[in-house]
Amino acid sequence: MPEDAQAPPVCWLQEQFAWLESTLAEPGYCTGEPFTSAEAYLFMLSCWAQQLGVDLSPYPRLMAMRERVSARPAVVAALKAQGLLK
């Protein structure tokens, strides 16, 4: 995909991540507790965003939530099964 074609999706993602950053619960998930499908979807969006070159460092709450999700045994197993994790 040409670089200029990536700009709109990247800008949109950054806007959404900025909004999420202001609303994410600490140390819980999107809605506090428990883990829901929203976290699973947000985890995947953040993975795809990184593949697009989106810098996630301005979003520490998002990064913390992502770390919590990536440590879940079922997530680790799914990533291993898909060959995305050693």
Side-chain angles (χ1 to χ4, degrees):
M1 179 182 308
E3 189 172 318
D4 60 337
Q6 287 183 347
V10 168
C11 288
W12 180 84
L13 278 172
Q14 289 170 326
E15 289 173 9
Q16 299 307 306
F17 288 155
W19 177 80
L20 280 165
E21 184 66 21
S22 70
T23 61
L24 279 172
E26 286 270 359
Y29 297 108
C30 292
T31 59
E33 293 287 339
F35 179 81
T36 68
S37 59
E39 286 78 30
Y41 185 67
L42 183 53
F43 176 77
M44 289 310 306
L45 278 179
S46 69
C47 291
W48 295 333
Q50 281 193 312
Q51 290 177 352
L52 287 173
V54 175
D55 179 14
L56 299 179
S57 64
Y59 316 111
R61 288 182 177 180
L62 173 63
M63 294 297 293
M65 188 276 313
R66 184 182 159 142
E67 287 297 316
R68 287 189 296 277
V69 172
S70 69
R72 295 178 65 83
V75 173
V76 171
L79 291 173
K80 283 182 181 178
Q82 294 174 8
L84 299 173
L85 190 63
K86 293 180 181 183

